[in-house]
Amino acid sequence: QVQLVESGGGSAQAGGSLRLSCAASGYAYSSSCMGWFRQAPGKEREGVAAVDARGVIVYYADSAKGRFTISRDNAKNTLYLQMNSLKPEDTAMYYCATNPYARTCSIWDPSEFTFWGQGTQVTVSS
């Protein structure tokens, strides 16, 4: 079965960095698009970044552009999100997600993603 396991969350100071990882298994990872989403308390889940199966086509939310980088290692079945210049408003639970039947997907419609991880908490203090 499809499994997505996030790691790398934690606490950081504003201006600091964190690198999230998502280990995928149970499906054709290298043929599937992947995305990162986040949800802060009391807010709706929002897309952060997405990448196509080859790791070539990427999408970023405006809040992530210039600070976050999504990447994937298809040999290791792992997705990454490098987060730099963190801000307190980046505090949220971060989820990775996939659609095993799509090679490309965007972050604008979470319903495109059919499998989700359990999330990893990121807390940024000022």
Side-chain angles (χ1 to χ4, degrees), residues 18-43:
L18 286 172
R19 188 194 196 200
L20 306 185
S21 299
C22 174
S25 61
Y27 70 107
Y29 174 81
S30 61
S31 299
S32 308
C33 66
M34 298 290 297
W36 286 102
F37 292 78
R38 67 186 184 185
Q39 187 167 20
K43 294 188 176 181

Side-chain angles (χ1 to χ4, degrees), residues 2-86:
V2 175
Q3 284 195 321
L4 301 172
V5 181
E6 302 94 336
S7 62
S11 298
Q13 295 281 333
S17 299
L18 286 172
R19 188 194 196 200
L20 306 185
S21 299
C22 174
S25 61
Y27 70 107
Y29 174 81
S30 61
S31 299
S32 308
C33 66
M34 298 290 297
W36 286 102
F37 292 78
R38 67 186 184 185
Q39 187 167 20
K43 294 188 176 181
E44 292 187 355
R45 187 171 296 188
E46 64 172 349
V48 176
V51 61
D52 76 328
R54 296 176 300 157
V56 174
I57 302 172
V58 295
Y59 296 95
Y60 292 100
D62 287 344
S63 59
K65 287 178 182 176
R67 300 188 300 124
F68 294 1
T69 302
I70 188 172
S71 62
R72 63 189 297 162
D73 185 335
N74 285 352
K76 295 182 178 180
N77 282 14
T78 303
L79 177 73
Y80 303 100
L81 184 69
Q82 178 67 45
M83 303 188 296
N84 299 328
S85 301
L86 284 164

